[in-house]
Amino acid sequence: MCGIFFSLSSSGAAPTPETCDLLQKRGPDCYTTHTVQKDIKAQDGGSLSCNLTFASTVLSLRGDHVYEQPLVDPETQSVLCWNGEAWKIQGERVQGNDTERVFDLFLQAVKDDPVDGLAKAVSSISGPFAFVFYDAVNSRLSYSRDCLGRRSLLQGYDHDGSLKLCSICDSASVDCFREVGTDGVHMIDLDQTLTLQSCQTKTMQWGSAHLNQPIPPMNKSLPEHPPALTTDSPFVKQLESQLRQSLELRIQNIPEPPSYIAGQSAKTAVLFSGGLDCTLLARLSHEILPTNEPIDLLNVAFENPRVAAAAKLNKNAPPSPLSIYENCPDRITGRSAHAELTKTCPGRTWRFVAIDIPYSECLAHRDQVKRLMRPHNTEMDMSIACALYFASRAKGTATTDAQAHQPVDGEYTSTSRVLLSGLGADELFAGYGRHGVAFNRGGFESLIAEIDLDVSRLGSRNLGRDDRVLSHWGRETRFPFLDEEFVAWVVRAPVWEKCGFGLPECEATAGIDSEKLALRLVAIRLGMERVAREKKRAIQFGARTAKMETGKSKGTDALT
């Protein structure tokens, strides 16, 4: 995980101190800047002296040492700022540091063709990324995000007319920053006549002749007599294998974090509500990681004053022996899933980290969360971002005994720098309530259309916002369900193999929800019967960050 800043300016615009501090929160291991001076053609026929300012911070998670950025090629003076994980290049797994491999790939590509060559190089990368690349030989600036938008990159012009690209919203450009589109690779020819206020940007789009689209079209075939899904169905068995392969890329060979103690410290943590998706990742991680390596389960619960007030008014309700945090839906399911993991996977230290957030602490951090999630600015953005922000801080009380619920040595902060998220499973396997509504309205055809819509707009949803918030504590979140090869494999499968709508019920699926049925059957194969029956619940309701002050607000309401 890295932080990126770039500016094209006549005055040498550097990141503000506030922006610099936030970038270093993302990448605490290294901070370096590099400036290139270049004359560009002006509209009056003369030339304009400009500075290209590059800055990068680094969270080192690949290779055997910290690889400083920006990378500068001594021969050509080309520059790369890279924020990503190239898991594979041209289908081959990348060993060691990926940043240097990507830089070499780009340098070789632009020797043949500065446009098509770079596009083909980007097409060969599998993994999340955002980058800024200056091809000094051909005077071209290129920048991009991966087609699923898993890494943040924002762009805008400040009040002095300087073009800026940044992982977070630069504080000097707050009113004009927007997400860089995930539609392709964006290029600026610096040898063309320019005005700083409106650089001419050309976009090489995914799916064009230049840039291959890694996600194929949705399989829209309709069944005549779909068979029942069972734990022995070929698709369910292969699903388990495919998900394991995606997960292996993301949790094997993680370097030891600072202050690491073998057998005690965790390298990997799971954003853990106790729901199906995250628990499935935890369960599969057990089969990949050494048994003596603890896995932290990060479970967040909030003091919601509106819920607390409603409970006090309900005089007929019996008094609860549980605290306001232990009564949170995600805390209840989290404890239950922790117990099932402990029972199913003996010998592993499963550390349940209960992250309790008082309302006063939530208010104290509200402005910071609002700052990180910009340019997003709605009530729903805030309720989701708050949950992710405190969960990724990974500070709470820890228990390893799933029955006792007693904290170990008071306050605990996870050492893990890698977080796992189950995001993407609902879109791929029809996990939302609206998928059932679509099926009831128009059968398989409507259901397929709804899933296709979800998958097609993954890149334009809120992954950039989530990346800005989750990365604030110097941790990188990885999304096994959003691996390109995994997504491509799932969308090629017919809809009746992914969920249970319209399928005949059998003994194996009796009483199990149709949403994400294939994943539920994988959980049963792995001994997680209770988790397989968990209902879908949005994070803002499970952790109780939604509607903290009033129940009348709407998720789409803008924040003041």
Side-chain angles (χ1 to χ4, degrees):
M1 174 62 65
C2 303
I4 292 174
F5 174 88
F6 167 81
S7 70
L8 175 62
S9 167
S10 59
S11 60
T16 65
E18 180 188 6
T19 298
C20 182
D21 176 65
L22 291 177
L23 289 173
Q24 288 180 289
K25 288 285 201 296
R26 293 173 61 93
D29 296 332
C30 172
Y31 173 59
T32 310
T33 61
H34 179 74
T35 302
V36 175
Q37 290 187 325
K38 181 174 176 59
D39 291 337
I40 63 174
K41 295 178 183 178
Q43 285 185 323
D44 60 6
S47 63
L48 180 64
S49 180
C50 289
N51 290 318
L52 283 71
T53 302
F54 302 84
S56 283
T57 62
V58 176
L59 176 70
S60 182
L61 292 171
R62 303 286 292 274
D64 57 3
H65 65 278
V66 177
Y67 292 77
E68 293 188 2
Q69 291 194 50
L71 293 182
V72 181
D73 179 45
E75 180 180 346
T76 63
Q77 295 303 302
S78 295
V79 184
L80 175 67
C81 295
W82 171 259
N83 172 26
E85 297 288 0
W87 300 119
K88 293 181 181 179
I89 294 178
Q90 295 177 340
E92 296 294 325
R93 184 168 178 174
V94 175
Q95 303 293 340
N97 185 262
D98 61 321
T99 307
E100 290 190 331
R101 283 285 307 278
V102 169
F103 195 30
D104 290 341
L105 178 73
F106 287 0
L107 292 173
Q108 292 300 315
V110 297
K111 286 181 180 179
D112 301 325
D113 187 313
V115 177
D116 285 357
L118 182 65
K120 290 176 182 177
V122 174
S123 292
S124 71
I125 298 171
S126 177
F129 62 76
F131 70 80
V132 176
F133 173 63
Y134 172 54
D135 174 7
V137 175
N138 298 291
S139 296
R140 286 182 179 273
L141 181 80
S142 302
Y143 57 97
S144 182
R145 297 168 66 200
D146 69 82
C147 68
L148 295 175
R150 290 163 290 183
R151 290 288 180 267
S152 170
L153 190 63
L154 303 167
Q155 66 179 15
Y157 292 89
D158 67 13
H159 301 301
D160 296 325
S162 300
L163 169 66
K164 290 184 176 180
L165 300 163
C166 195
S167 298
I168 57 171
C169 191
D170 182 62
S171 53
S173 315
V174 62
D175 295 328
C176 49
F177 255 43
R178 59 184 175 85
E179 303 265 10
V180 169
T182 58
D183 51 340
V185 178
H186 313 284
M187 297 181 176
I188 299 173
D189 186 345
L190 297 176
D191 280 342
Q192 297 294 316
T193 301
L194 297 176
T195 62
L196 290 181
Q197 288 79 8
S198 58
C199 296
Q200 297 299 310
T201 304
K202 179 181 180 181
T203 300
M204 311 292 288
Q205 294 192 329
W206 296 105
S208 67
H210 311 282
L211 199 61
N212 294 332
Q213 170 59 266
I215 311 302
M218 178 72 62
N219 184 331
K220 296 184 178 181
S221 58
L222 301 175
E224 293 184 5
H225 303 289
L229 269 182
T230 73
T231 53
D232 291 324
S233 295
F235 179 82
V236 173
K237 292 180 178 179
Q238 195 173 359
L239 172 57
E240 180 183 337
S241 175
Q242 293 282 342
L243 186 54
R244 184 182 281 105
Q245 290 176 39
S246 173
L247 191 55
E248 284 175 350
L249 285 173
R250 288 159 173 79
I251 64 174
Q252 287 181 333
N253 303 315
I254 296 173
E256 294 180 359
S259 306
Y260 181 79
I261 302 173
Q264 297 183 32
S265 303
K267 295 181 183 180
T268 306
V270 183
L271 297 171
F272 192 73
S273 65
L276 172 67
D277 312 326
C278 61
T279 308
L280 199 50
L281 295 180
R283 174 64 182 83
L284 286 170
S285 296
H286 170 71
E287 300 190 357
I288 298 168
L289 297 175
T291 308
N292 64 347
E293 190 175 306
I295 297 176
D296 285 351
L297 309 173
L298 308 177
N299 182 276
V300 65
F302 286 75
E303 176 192 12
N304 186 313
R306 188 180 60 84
V307 174
K312 288 181 180 179
L313 291 174
N314 188 1
K315 297 179 180 179
N316 296 324
S320 172
L322 302 177
S323 71
I324 192 169
Y325 305 110
E326 292 298 318
N327 258 321
C328 271
D330 278 3
R331 180 59 50 80
I332 294 169
T333 55
R335 295 284 190 194
S336 172
H338 179 214
E340 193 165 23
L341 283 169
T342 302
K343 180 181 178 181
T344 308
C345 309
R348 168 81 60 187
T349 297
W350 297 100
R351 188 183 287 114
F352 187 91
V353 185
I355 302 167
D356 297 341
I357 308 300
Y359 181 58
S360 58
E361 187 173 10
C362 189
L363 288 179
H365 287 257
R366 183 180 173 88
D367 285 345
Q368 179 73 288
V369 176
K370 189 176 179 180
R371 170 76 176 77
L372 290 169
M373 72 186 198
R374 289 173 182 165
H376 294 259
N377 190 47
T378 68
E379 290 287 348
M380 181 175 290
D381 288 319
M382 176 60 72
S383 61
I384 294 172
C386 272
L388 298 177
Y389 175 86
F390 286 106
S392 63
R393 186 173 67 170
K395 183 171 73 174
T397 55
T399 57
T400 55
D401 185 341
Q403 305 302 322
H405 295 190
Q406 293 300 313
V408 178
D409 299 328
E411 190 173 79
Y412 170 83
T413 301
S414 178
T415 56
S416 172
R417 286 178 147 197
V418 171
L419 310 179
L420 295 176
S421 167
L423 196 146
D426 289 309
E427 287 80 1
L428 291 171
F429 293 93
Y432 293 115
R434 64 174 179 272
H435 292 120
V437 172
F439 179 79
N440 291 334
R441 180 181 65 243
F444 284 107
E445 193 168 350
S446 293
L447 173 61
I448 293 168
E450 192 72 25
I451 298 172
D452 192 25
L453 178 63
D454 281 336
V455 174
S456 67
R457 63 186 181 185
L458 274 171
S460 60
R461 296 284 299 271
N462 301 312
L463 286 168
R465 175 202 66 196
D466 296 349
D467 176 73
R468 293 188 290 278
V469 173
L470 286 163
S471 303
H472 181 69
W473 303 105
R475 308 180 201 274
E476 177 175 282
T477 307
R478 297 177 177 176
F479 306 98
F481 288 104
L482 291 180
D483 177 90
E484 290 96 330
E485 291 184 13
F486 181 81
V487 173
W489 178 77
V490 174
V491 300
R492 288 191 189 103
V495 67
W496 62 89
E497 291 192 325
K498 293 179 279 195
C499 54
F501 298 106
L503 301 189
E505 191 175 276
C506 64
E507 184 178 350
T509 59
I512 297 180
D513 286 351
S514 295
E515 291 87 354
K516 299 186 289 191
L517 179 59
L519 288 175
R520 296 179 187 279
L521 291 170
V522 171
I524 292 174
R525 283 178 58 83
L526 295 169
M528 308 293 291
E529 181 82 29
R530 190 187 311 171
V531 166
R533 298 177 182 276
E534 282 296 342
K535 303 284 186 182
K536 163 67 182 173
R537 185 169 51 239
I539 186 173
Q540 65 268 33
F541 300 112
R544 286 186 174 160
T545 55
K547 303 179 184 295
M548 281 199 167
E549 288 82 16
T550 173
K552 296 181 180 180
S553 63
K554 296 180 181 179
T556 54
D557 289 348
L559 299 173
T560 56

Short mmCIF file of all heavy atoms in Angstrom, two decimals, residues 349-374:
data_model
loop_
_atom_site.label_atom_id
_atom_site.label_comp_id
_atom_site.label_asym_id
_atom_site.label_seq_id
_atom_site.Cartn_x
_atom_site.Cartn_y
_atom_site.Cartn_z
N THR A 349 -4.74 -20.24 16.89
CA THR A 349 -5.13 -19.15 17.76
C THR A 349 -5.98 -18.17 16.98
O THR A 349 -5.49 -17.45 16.10
CB THR A 349 -3.90 -18.41 18.33
OG1 THR A 349 -3.15 -19.31 19.14
CG2 THR A 349 -4.31 -17.22 19.18
N TRP A 350 -7.27 -18.18 17.28
CA TRP A 350 -8.21 -17.22 16.69
C TRP A 350 -8.40 -16.11 17.71
O TRP A 350 -9.05 -16.31 18.73
CB TRP A 350 -9.54 -17.88 16.37
CG TRP A 350 -9.48 -18.98 15.36
CD1 TRP A 350 -9.47 -20.32 15.59
CD2 TRP A 350 -9.43 -18.83 13.93
NE1 TRP A 350 -9.43 -21.02 14.42
CE2 TRP A 350 -9.40 -20.14 13.38
CE3 TRP A 350 -9.40 -17.74 13.07
CZ2 TRP A 350 -9.34 -20.36 12.01
CZ3 TRP A 350 -9.35 -17.96 11.70
CH2 TRP A 350 -9.32 -19.25 11.19
N ARG A 351 -7.86 -14.96 17.45
CA ARG A 351 -7.95 -13.85 18.41
C ARG A 351 -9.10 -12.94 18.00
O ARG A 351 -9.05 -12.24 16.99
CB ARG A 351 -6.62 -13.09 18.45
CG ARG A 351 -6.56 -12.04 19.56
CD ARG A 351 -5.25 -11.25 19.51
NE ARG A 351 -4.12 -12.04 19.96
CZ ARG A 351 -3.10 -12.40 19.17
NH1 ARG A 351 -3.10 -12.07 17.89
NH2 ARG A 351 -2.09 -13.10 19.66
N PHE A 352 -10.15 -12.95 18.80
CA PHE A 352 -11.32 -12.11 18.55
C PHE A 352 -11.06 -10.73 19.18
O PHE A 352 -10.91 -10.61 20.40
CB PHE A 352 -12.57 -12.74 19.15
CG PHE A 352 -13.86 -12.03 18.80
CD1 PHE A 352 -14.58 -12.40 17.68
CD2 PHE A 352 -14.34 -11.01 19.59
CE1 PHE A 352 -15.76 -11.76 17.35
CE2 PHE A 352 -15.52 -10.37 19.29
CZ PHE A 352 -16.24 -10.74 18.15
N VAL A 353 -11.00 -9.71 18.34
CA VAL A 353 -10.71 -8.35 18.81
C VAL A 353 -12.02 -7.56 18.82
O VAL A 353 -12.57 -7.20 17.78
CB VAL A 353 -9.67 -7.66 17.91
CG1 VAL A 353 -9.29 -6.30 18.49
CG2 VAL A 353 -8.42 -8.54 17.76
N ALA A 354 -12.53 -7.34 20.02
CA ALA A 354 -13.78 -6.60 20.20
C ALA A 354 -13.46 -5.11 20.22
O ALA A 354 -12.84 -4.61 21.17
CB ALA A 354 -14.46 -7.03 21.49
N ILE A 355 -13.89 -4.40 19.18
CA ILE A 355 -13.59 -2.98 19.02
C ILE A 355 -14.85 -2.20 19.39
O ILE A 355 -15.79 -2.10 18.60
CB ILE A 355 -13.15 -2.69 17.57
CG1 ILE A 355 -11.92 -3.54 17.22
CG2 ILE A 355 -12.87 -1.22 17.37
CD1 ILE A 355 -11.60 -3.57 15.73
N ASP A 356 -14.89 -1.68 20.61
CA ASP A 356 -16.06 -0.96 21.13
C ASP A 356 -15.84 0.54 20.98
O ASP A 356 -14.86 1.09 21.51
CB ASP A 356 -16.28 -1.30 22.60
CG ASP A 356 -16.58 -2.78 22.82
OD1 ASP A 356 -16.97 -3.46 21.84
OD2 ASP A 356 -16.41 -3.26 23.97
N ILE A 357 -16.75 1.21 20.29
CA ILE A 357 -16.58 2.63 20.00
C ILE A 357 -17.70 3.43 20.67
O ILE A 357 -18.86 3.40 20.22
CB ILE A 357 -16.59 2.90 18.49
CG1 ILE A 357 -15.59 2.01 17.77
CG2 ILE A 357 -16.31 4.38 18.22
CD1 ILE A 357 -14.16 2.19 18.21
N PRO A 358 -17.38 4.16 21.75
CA PRO A 358 -18.38 5.03 22.37
C PRO A 358 -18.80 6.14 21.40
O PRO A 358 -18.03 6.54 20.51
CB PRO A 358 -17.65 5.62 23.59
CG PRO A 358 -16.45 4.74 23.80
CD PRO A 358 -16.10 4.20 22.46
N TYR A 359 -19.99 6.64 21.59
CA TYR A 359 -20.49 7.70 20.72
C TYR A 359 -19.58 8.93 20.76
O TYR A 359 -19.33 9.56 19.73
CB TYR A 359 -21.90 8.08 21.15
CG TYR A 359 -22.55 9.16 20.32
CD1 TYR A 359 -22.70 9.00 18.95
CD2 TYR A 359 -23.00 10.35 20.90
CE1 TYR A 359 -23.31 9.99 18.17
CE2 TYR A 359 -23.60 11.33 20.14
CZ TYR A 359 -23.74 11.15 18.77
OH TYR A 359 -24.33 12.13 18.01
N SER A 360 -19.04 9.25 21.94
CA SER A 360 -18.16 10.41 22.07
C SER A 360 -16.90 10.25 21.23
O SER A 360 -16.41 11.22 20.62
CB SER A 360 -17.77 10.62 23.54
OG SER A 360 -17.13 9.46 24.06
N GLU A 361 -16.35 9.03 21.15
CA GLU A 361 -15.16 8.80 20.34
C GLU A 361 -15.50 8.88 18.85
O GLU A 361 -14.70 9.39 18.05
CB GLU A 361 -14.55 7.44 20.67
CG GLU A 361 -13.21 7.20 19.99
CD GLU A 361 -12.52 5.94 20.45
OE1 GLU A 361 -13.15 5.13 21.17
OE2 GLU A 361 -11.34 5.76 20.10
N CYS A 362 -16.66 8.41 18.50
CA CYS A 362 -17.10 8.51 17.11
C CYS A 362 -17.19 9.98 16.69
O CYS A 362 -16.73 10.35 15.60
CB CYS A 362 -18.44 7.81 16.94
SG CYS A 362 -18.98 7.63 15.23
N LEU A 363 -17.75 10.81 17.55
CA LEU A 363 -17.85 12.24 17.26
C LEU A 363 -16.47 12.89 17.16
O LEU A 363 -16.23 13.74 16.30
CB LEU A 363 -18.67 12.95 18.34
CG LEU A 363 -20.17 12.69 18.36
CD1 LEU A 363 -20.82 13.46 19.50
CD2 LEU A 363 -20.81 13.08 17.03
N ALA A 364 -15.55 12.46 18.02
CA ALA A 364 -14.21 13.05 18.03
C ALA A 364 -13.46 12.78 16.73
O ALA A 364 -12.62 13.58 16.32
CB ALA A 364 -13.42 12.51 19.22
N HIS A 365 -13.76 11.67 16.08
CA HIS A 365 -13.07 11.31 14.84
C HIS A 365 -13.88 11.64 13.59
O HIS A 365 -13.44 11.37 12.48
CB HIS A 365 -12.75 9.81 14.84
CG HIS A 365 -11.65 9.42 15.76
ND1 HIS A 365 -10.38 9.13 15.33
CD2 HIS A 365 -11.62 9.28 17.11
CE1 HIS A 365 -9.61 8.82 16.36
NE2 HIS A 365 -10.35 8.89 17.45
N ARG A 366 -15.05 12.20 13.76
CA ARG A 366 -15.96 12.40 12.64
C ARG A 366 -15.35 13.27 11.53
O ARG A 366 -15.46 12.95 10.35
CB ARG A 366 -17.27 13.02 13.15
CG ARG A 366 -18.33 13.21 12.06
CD ARG A 366 -19.59 13.81 12.65
NE ARG A 366 -20.56 14.16 11.63
CZ ARG A 366 -21.49 13.33 11.16
NH1 ARG A 366 -21.56 12.10 11.62
NH2 ARG A 366 -22.35 13.74 10.25
N ASP A 367 -14.70 14.38 11.93
CA ASP A 367 -14.12 15.26 10.92
C ASP A 367 -13.00 14.56 10.16
O ASP A 367 -12.83 14.80 8.96
CB ASP A 367 -13.60 16.54 11.57
CG ASP A 367 -14.71 17.50 11.97
OD1 ASP A 367 -15.85 17.31 11.49
OD2 ASP A 367 -14.46 18.43 12.75
N GLN A 368 -12.23 13.73 10.86
CA GLN A 368 -11.17 13.00 10.18
C GLN A 368 -11.75 12.02 9.17
O GLN A 368 -11.24 11.90 8.04
CB GLN A 368 -10.32 12.24 11.21
CG GLN A 368 -9.18 11.43 10.62
CD GLN A 368 -8.05 12.29 10.14
OE1 GLN A 368 -8.17 12.98 9.12
NE2 GLN A 368 -6.94 12.26 10.86
N VAL A 369 -12.78 11.30 9.56
CA VAL A 369 -13.42 10.36 8.64
C VAL A 369 -14.00 11.09 7.44
O VAL A 369 -13.84 10.67 6.29
CB VAL A 369 -14.52 9.55 9.37
CG1 VAL A 369 -15.26 8.64 8.38
CG2 VAL A 369 -13.93 8.73 10.50
N LYS A 370 -14.64 12.21 7.70
CA LYS A 370 -15.22 13.02 6.62
C LYS A 370 -14.12 13.50 5.66
O LYS A 370 -14.29 13.51 4.45
CB LYS A 370 -15.95 14.21 7.22
CG LYS A 370 -16.78 15.02 6.24
CD LYS A 370 -17.55 16.11 6.97
CE LYS A 370 -18.37 16.94 5.99
NZ LYS A 370 -19.14 18.01 6.68
N ARG A 371 -12.97 13.85 6.23
CA ARG A 371 -11.82 14.30 5.42
C ARG A 371 -11.32 13.18 4.52
O ARG A 371 -10.99 13.40 3.35
CB ARG A 371 -10.71 14.75 6.38
CG ARG A 371 -9.37 15.04 5.74
CD ARG A 371 -9.40 16.38 5.04
NE ARG A 371 -8.09 16.72 4.51
CZ ARG A 371 -7.55 16.20 3.42
NH1 ARG A 371 -8.23 15.31 2.72
NH2 ARG A 371 -6.35 16.59 3.01
N LEU A 372 -11.26 11.96 5.06
CA LEU A 372 -10.72 10.83 4.30
C LEU A 372 -11.67 10.38 3.20
O LEU A 372 -11.22 9.95 2.13
CB LEU A 372 -10.43 9.67 5.25
CG LEU A 372 -9.26 9.84 6.22
CD1 LEU A 372 -9.27 8.74 7.26
CD2 LEU A 372 -7.93 9.85 5.46
N MET A 373 -12.96 10.44 3.45
CA MET A 373 -13.88 9.87 2.46
C MET A 373 -14.21 10.84 1.32
O MET A 373 -14.83 10.46 0.33
CB MET A 373 -15.17 9.40 3.13
CG MET A 373 -16.09 10.48 3.61
SD MET A 373 -17.48 9.80 4.53
CE MET A 373 -18.62 11.21 4.45
N ARG A 374 -13.77 12.11 1.42
CA ARG A 374 -13.99 13.05 0.33
C ARG A 374 -13.47 12.49 -0.98
O ARG A 374 -12.46 11.81 -1.01
CB ARG A 374 -13.25 14.37 0.63
CG ARG A 374 -13.82 15.21 1.75
CD ARG A 374 -12.88 16.38 2.02
NE ARG A 374 -13.38 17.20 3.13
CZ ARG A 374 -12.62 18.10 3.77
NH1 ARG A 374 -11.35 18.27 3.43
NH2 ARG A 374 -13.13 18.80 4.75
#
